Amino acid sequence: MGPDQRSSPTAINPGSQSALRELNEERILAMLRSHGTLTQAALARSTGLSTATISNIVKSLVATQRVETAPTTSSGRRAMGVSIIDAADVAVGIDFGRSHVRVVLARAGFHLLGEDHTALPVGHRAEESISIAASMLKKLCANLGVDHTQLLGAGIGIPGPIDHRTMTVIRGAILPEWVGINIESQLQAALSLPVFIDNDANLGALAQVTWGEHQESSNLCFLKIGSGIGAGLVLNGSLYYGSLGITGEIGHSTIFNQGLICRCGNRGCLETVASTGVIIDLLSQSEGTPIGIEAVIERAQSGDSATLRILGDVGAAVGHALANVSNLLSPEVIVIGGPLAPLGELLLEPIRRGLFRHAIPIIGENTVVRMAALGDRAEALGASALVLRQGQPRQI
Amino acid sequence: MGPDQRSSPTAINPGSQSALRELNEERILAMLRSHGTLTQAALARSTGLSTATISNIVKSLVATQRVETAPTTSSGRRAMGVSIIDAADVAVGIDFGRSHVRVVLARAGFHLLGEDHTALPVGHRAEESISIAASMLKKLCANLGVDHTQLLGAGIGIPGPIDHRTMTVIRGAILPEWVGINIESQLQAALSLPVFIDNDANLGALAQVTWGEHQESSNLCFLKIGSGIGAGLVLNGSLYYGSLGITGEIGHSTIFNQGLICRCGNRGCLETVASTGVIIDLLSQSEGTPIGIEAVIERAQSGDSATLRILGDVGAAVGHALANVSNLLSPEVIVIGGPLAPLGELLLEPIRRGLFRHAIPIIGENTVVRMAALGDRAEALGASALVLRQGQPRQI
């Protein structure tokens, strides 16, 4: 029996009805605080309250300016999304990349307050990017009128697998400058905030189920294709860390037994055939001049046959690796992120074909593959979600 | 602060100390009821009580015959295991195989009361094995003096992936006779008990963390190599079902792109190079006469080079597939079960080599691979654990 059903007129006096209503309001606000925008249907499912009760309470919360509603899409369908308005508490999300730092500020309930982005040279020192992030945060707070006391903490994204036994980036990572550094103490000192650290692929996955379109997925795989290839897994509604914290290393699935040597020490890994570096190298060679990832996307969109052939091969290899993931984990949805996301169907189509070729039929037919919609911001937004999502953060 | 620390003499009167002690006893009994045999160290970790408190309470529970202790091994080390004695409640575990039915009766706290086993011809009808299981259960109860009212329910193992949307065995399974049958209603009617249905690989995994040696693993992969190859996953301490209930389909990882056609419709799947059927076919061909799995094990143990070469190739392929699993999920331990388990190191050694070859180094070095110790009983014991383990069963 849902608590709302107890409010029958004969059983309970008006005093306890209002107490019950407050309790139900609190449950709805708590769900919105930890999950971001939710549809009324999702709120009903997750709280056990009836849709009539939900609709009633949401109306009164809108009137008292504690939540707001806006049109959204839920698994591709139009719906009305409900989000919390909770002015005081602010979460920081920082995404450290190979050649950038991005800082976002977000209010509880997943409202983006502001963001900043700085380009950095590849190979910059970790300490340098930490100090840049700290001054970006200071400036952002000043511009937005956010006081340091309002900050709940900072979620931090690092583009490399983190060994949870030592909380350091492991050797062989795409960002050698961060290997072996005590990230936690340096960041806490620089930011004067509690920090929550995770790798970029995990944060991309978390962003999909909080800021993204997949709030209702319990089992989601986010595959980031960049200079490295790695996945973040949401399983049974939570980020999955396994025994070492090093998970989702799909980039090192062997695709060609006699393939090229990979930076991990093995050969024929997915990364040696499908990373952005490989795509750029192949196309630059035939051009005789180095080209950027934007040019790859333009050429594909204008129908250049060499580019499309390479993307076909990349998709086949990625689909093969994702078939193994799907056969093993049966996720509802796989989301592809990273700089190739603007390619849309041009890359999704060969990925789906590869997945379908290598997965058992019932899994191939039922696994949805989508491009990430959050763009470059996914990791920083996911980092702020680490802070906003109660119970989810792993404070170190 | 653990509750035991509150029992400081100045803060609490004797009355509430004894209430606190009862509460702590109940917590320990609840842990043992749902997890089977645990060491005192594991009890301390999982309840948050101090080892001194645990040791005290266990002593008094032994004196009052509510628990018993016996030497055990914990991750290979000698330790003292604590198990509950809880006479009244009995769980049934039934394992339906291609050519057998096995029934076990177990008391709460994972004490095996008795078991029975019947061989059946391959291709027998599902209805036939259900009615045989029902009479085996009746006879077993009569022999052991267990009344039907003591039975909590029956866990059921089916050797095939079960689609959780319909709770039927999917097409293409190793046991075509069960495809499309409404297993639940037939079993409930035949047994007059609540039934909890799962596939054999999931039950093998559950058996390892309840009846087996791996009670302290939160992330475990159980790989069953038989006429089919499938895995069960324990992730974050619970059996993992994904979105469809069809998980662990490692047997259909593509190992050879241009390999043999598999019963799933794809080609070069792990099953086409490493199932027991393939091993038997290869060796029978060179012999000119069909040999059984026992003969394969004998030949390997006596050092026959053709047999060892085939097991080397099987291990390499299995290790390759398990490297993908480990890179993705970072399990603490992988347990190999099925009829090849008696091969021990003869099969483990090539599997480990294959895993090490294809996994990233830190994962290869830290993933433990073991043979299952529960023998043919693993699935039936796991089925009874579905019933015994509070919160774990998925009643349909």
Side-chain angles (χ1 to χ4, degrees):
Chain A
M1 189 178 76
D4 57 321
Q5 296 169 275
R6 276 186 267 145
S7 62
S8 79
T10 54
I12 295 180
N13 65 39
S16 49
Q17 274 211 21
S18 94
L20 186 61
R21 189 186 175 95
E22 248 175 63
L23 194 75
N24 287 340
E25 281 184 3
E26 261 320 303
R27 289 173 66 192
I28 291 174
L29 291 172
M31 279 306 297
L32 294 173
R33 211 169 273 127
S34 60
H35 285 77
T37 302
L38 289 174
T39 62
Q40 299 205 5
L43 277 171
R45 270 198 302 281
S46 55
T47 60
L49 298 172
S50 71
T51 47
T53 305
I54 295 282
S55 156
N56 245 320
I57 293 180
V58 166
K59 239 177 254 167
S60 103
L61 290 172
V62 168
T64 54
Q65 296 195 318
R66 283 180 291 166
V67 307
E68 60 192 16
T69 57
T72 179
T73 52
S74 161
S75 309
R77 293 182 302 273
R78 282 162 194 280
M80 189 58 75
V82 185
S83 337
I84 203 167
I85 306 172
D86 204 344
D89 294 341
V90 173
V92 181
I94 304 180
D95 166 37
F96 290 103
R98 277 221 308 170
S99 56
H100 74 269
V101 187
R102 184 183 297 270
V103 179
V104 302
L105 281 189
R107 255 194 300 144
F110 299 91
H111 295 264
L112 183 61
L113 291 177
E115 61 175 318
D116 198 6
H117 173 274
T118 300
L120 290 174
V122 171
H124 65 273
R125 287 168 53 244
E127 289 80 359
E128 193 186 334
S129 57
I130 290 174
S131 109
I132 289 171
S135 35
M136 284 165 74
L137 175 59
K138 215 171 216 171
K139 215 167 65 188
L140 207 51
C141 284
N143 290 346
L144 294 164
V146 170
D147 191 80
H148 189 83
T149 57
Q150 284 174 262
L151 302 178
L152 294 168
I156 309 289
I158 308 284
I162 297 166
D163 186 334
H164 278 217
R165 296 169 302 182
T166 55
M167 280 315 265
T168 54
V169 173
I170 68 166
R171 214 162 294 282
I174 204 86
L175 206 73
E177 296 77 18
W178 287 77
V179 171
I181 287 182
N182 188 327
I183 310 169
E184 185 202 9
S185 63
Q186 295 215 14
L187 280 163
Q188 269 177 351
L191 304 173
S192 309
L193 284 176
V195 295
F196 305 86
I197 299 169
D198 213 328
N199 83 57
D200 57 345
N202 283 348
L203 295 181
L206 184 57
Q208 305 308 315
V209 296
T210 50
W211 293 89
E213 305 175 292
H214 303 286
Q215 275 98 340
E216 296 175 32
S217 286
S218 298
N219 303 294
L220 175 144
C221 171
F222 174 79
L223 184 72
K224 184 172 178 179
I225 305 176
S227 20
I229 299 180
L233 299 172
V234 170
L235 303 180
N236 291 329
S238 297
L239 275 177
Y240 176 78
Y241 295 99
S243 86
L244 299 180
I246 300 154
T247 56
E249 291 293 333
I250 299 175
H252 304 287
S253 304
T254 309
I255 298 294
F256 297 117
N257 245 316
Q258 310 295 326
L260 297 175
I261 299 297
C262 180
R263 65 188 166 84
C264 76
N266 288 333
R267 66 188 298 184
C269 294
L270 180 61
E271 267 190 29
T272 67
V273 292
S275 73
T276 50
V278 172
I279 298 171
I280 287 172
D281 282 356
L282 280 169
L283 284 171
S284 299
Q285 249 168 32
S286 69
E287 293 285 317
T289 168
I291 65 165
I293 201 72
E294 298 76 16
V296 174
I297 293 167
E298 270 166 36
R299 273 162 219 220
Q301 284 167 341
S302 68
D304 176 62
S305 61
T307 310
L308 292 175
R309 168 59 201 263
I310 288 171
L311 292 178
D313 292 344
V314 164
V318 169
H320 177 165
L322 288 177
N324 289 340
V325 175
S326 305
N327 280 347
L328 188 65
L329 295 177
S330 177
E332 282 119 39
V333 59
I334 296 171
V335 180
I336 311 289
L340 298 176
L343 285 170
E345 285 299 318
L346 292 171
L347 183 57
L348 281 183
E349 202 273 326
I351 289 177
R352 287 200 193 104
R353 207 161 41 206
L355 173 71
F356 207 85
R357 178 182 166 91
H358 292 279
I360 62 172
I362 192 170
I363 292 290
E365 287 155 16
N366 285 285
T367 308
V368 174
V369 188
R370 292 270 171 85
M371 278 298 176
L374 298 169
D376 295 346
R377 282 197 199 92
E379 294 79 6
L381 293 176
S384 74
L386 263 193
V387 182
L388 291 172
R389 201 174 192 194
Q390 308 286 330
Q392 187 70 42
R394 290 167 69 95
Q395 184 162 17
I396 59 165
Chain B
M1 189 178 77
D4 58 320
Q5 294 169 277
R6 276 186 266 147
S7 62
S8 80
T10 55
I12 294 180
N13 67 38
S16 52
Q17 275 212 22
S18 94
L20 186 62
R21 190 188 176 95
E22 247 175 63
L23 194 74
N24 288 339
E25 280 184 3
E26 261 319 302
R27 289 172 67 191
I28 291 174
L29 291 172
M31 279 304 298
L32 295 173
R33 211 169 274 129
S34 60
H35 285 77
T37 302
L38 289 174
T39 63
Q40 299 205 4
L43 277 171
R45 270 198 301 282
S46 56
T47 59
L49 298 171
S50 71
T51 48
T53 305
I54 295 282
S55 155
N56 245 319
I57 293 179
V58 166
K59 238 177 254 164
S60 103
L61 289 173
V62 168
T64 53
Q65 297 194 318
R66 282 179 293 165
V67 307
E68 60 192 16
T69 57
T72 179
T73 52
S74 160
S75 308
R77 295 182 300 274
R78 279 161 196 280
M80 189 59 74
V82 184
S83 336
I84 204 167
I85 306 172
D86 205 344
D89 294 341
V90 174
V92 180
I94 304 179
D95 165 36
F96 290 103
R98 276 220 309 170
S99 56
H100 73 268
V101 186
R102 185 181 298 270
V103 180
V104 301
L105 281 189
R107 255 193 302 144
F110 299 91
H111 295 266
L112 184 60
L113 291 177
E115 60 175 318
D116 197 6
H117 172 273
T118 301
L120 290 175
V122 171
H124 65 273
R125 286 168 54 244
E127 288 80 0
E128 193 187 336
S129 56
I130 290 174
S131 107
I132 290 171
S135 33
M136 284 166 74
L137 174 59
K138 214 170 219 174
K139 215 166 68 186
L140 206 52
C141 284
N143 291 345
L144 295 164
V146 171
D147 192 79
H148 189 83
T149 57
Q150 284 175 262
L151 302 178
L152 293 168
I156 308 290
I158 307 284
I162 297 167
D163 186 334
H164 278 218
R165 297 169 300 182
T166 55
M167 281 314 264
T168 53
V169 174
I170 68 166
R171 213 161 294 281
I174 204 87
L175 207 73
E177 296 77 17
W178 287 76
V179 171
I181 286 183
N182 187 328
I183 310 170
E184 184 203 11
S185 63
Q186 295 215 15
L187 280 162
Q188 271 179 349
L191 303 172
S192 310
L193 284 175
V195 296
F196 306 85
I197 299 170
D198 213 328
N199 83 58
D200 58 344
N202 283 348
L203 295 180
L206 184 58
Q208 305 308 315
V209 297
T210 50
W211 293 90
E213 305 176 293
H214 304 286
Q215 275 96 341
E216 297 176 32
S217 287
S218 298
N219 303 294
L220 175 144
C221 170
F222 173 79
L223 185 71
K224 184 172 179 181
I225 306 176
S227 19
I229 299 180
L233 300 172
V234 171
L235 303 180
N236 291 328
S238 296
L239 275 177
Y240 175 77
Y241 295 98
S243 85
L244 299 180
I246 299 156
T247 57
E249 290 293 333
I250 299 175
H252 304 288
S253 305
T254 308
I255 298 295
F256 297 117
N257 245 316
Q258 310 296 325
L260 297 176
I261 298 299
C262 180
R263 66 187 166 85
C264 75
N266 288 334
R267 65 188 296 183
C269 294
L270 180 61
E271 266 189 30
T272 66
V273 291
S275 72
T276 50
V278 171
I279 298 171
I280 286 172
D281 281 355
L282 280 169
L283 284 171
S284 298
Q285 247 168 31
S286 70
E287 293 285 318
T289 166
I291 65 167
I293 202 72
E294 299 75 17
V296 174
I297 291 168
E298 270 168 36
R299 273 163 219 219
Q301 284 167 343
S302 69
D304 176 62
S305 61
T307 310
L308 291 175
R309 168 62 202 264
I310 287 171
L311 292 178
D313 293 343
V314 164
V318 168
H320 177 166
L322 287 177
N324 289 339
V325 175
S326 305
N327 281 346
L328 187 67
L329 295 177
S330 177
E332 283 119 37
V333 58
I334 295 171
V335 179
I336 311 288
L340 299 176
L343 285 169
E345 285 299 318
L346 292 172
L347 183 57
L348 280 182
E349 203 272 325
I351 288 177
R352 286 200 193 102
R353 206 160 43 204
L355 173 71
F356 208 84
R357 176 181 167 91
H358 292 279
I360 63 171
I362 192 170
I363 292 290
E365 287 155 15
N366 286 285
T367 307
V368 174
V369 187
R370 292 271 170 83
M371 278 299 177
L374 298 169
D376 294 344
R377 280 196 201 92
E379 293 81 6
L381 292 175
S384 74
L386 263 193
V387 183
L388 291 173
R389 199 172 192 195
Q390 307 287 329
Q392 187 71 42
R394 289 167 69 93
Q395 184 164 16
I396 59 164

